[in-house]
Amino acid sequence: MGRGTGRGPRPRAGLAPLDGPLRFLLLSSFLIPLGSFMVLPFMSVFLHERLGMGLGTVGVVLAVASLVQFSGGIAGGALSDRIGLRRTMLWALIVRASWICSGSVAMAAAGRHSP
């Protein structure tokens, strides 16, 4: 048997063949969900206390939002097989960023006109 450290492959070794823009897209694809899940607990408070939604409705809204976010990975995987990883990640980040911007504007407007 060959000598090894017994730890398996180094995590960064898999990133070595990726160039700068692809590394940026990969990092961004991790940061966007991280930010979303950091905001998710505060969304329930905002929707319930500030906008007056019932807790059941808040639960459904947040569950659907999480389901859509996770199920997008299945569609993204199929799409990346067809058009390539880089193009899929770029389009996904553009779509996600536009949804975040439009959602932020809608939340600001809703907060301003809340009861």
Side-chain angles (χ1 to χ4, degrees), residues 22-45:
L22 198 53
R23 283 185 186 184
F24 173 74
L25 289 174
L26 186 63
L27 178 65
S28 298
S29 71
F30 286 111
L31 291 178
I32 289 174
L34 177 67
S36 295
F37 285 113
M38 288 172 61
V39 170
L40 198 62
F42 301 107
M43 286 296 297
S44 61
V45 174

Side-chain angles (χ1 to χ4, degrees), residues 11-98:
R12 291 188 58 121
L15 297 176
L18 301 179
D19 58 349
L22 198 53
R23 283 185 186 184
F24 173 74
L25 289 174
L26 186 63
L27 178 65
S28 298
S29 71
F30 286 111
L31 291 178
I32 289 174
L34 177 67
S36 295
F37 285 113
M38 288 172 61
V39 170
L40 198 62
F42 301 107
M43 286 296 297
S44 61
V45 174
F46 178 77
L47 292 173
H48 177 66
E49 291 182 4
R50 184 84 183 234
L51 299 183
M53 286 186 175
L55 289 176
T57 306
V58 169
V60 169
V61 166
L62 296 180
V64 168
S66 296
L67 180 67
V68 167
Q69 184 171 354
F70 280 115
S71 64
I74 296 169
L79 188 61
S80 70
D81 286 343
R82 292 187 181 266
I83 67 170
L85 178 62
R86 184 179 302 215
R87 288 175 59 190
T88 301
M89 287 178 69
L90 182 61
W91 278 108
L93 290 172
I94 290 170
V95 168
R96 179 73 173 161
S98 65

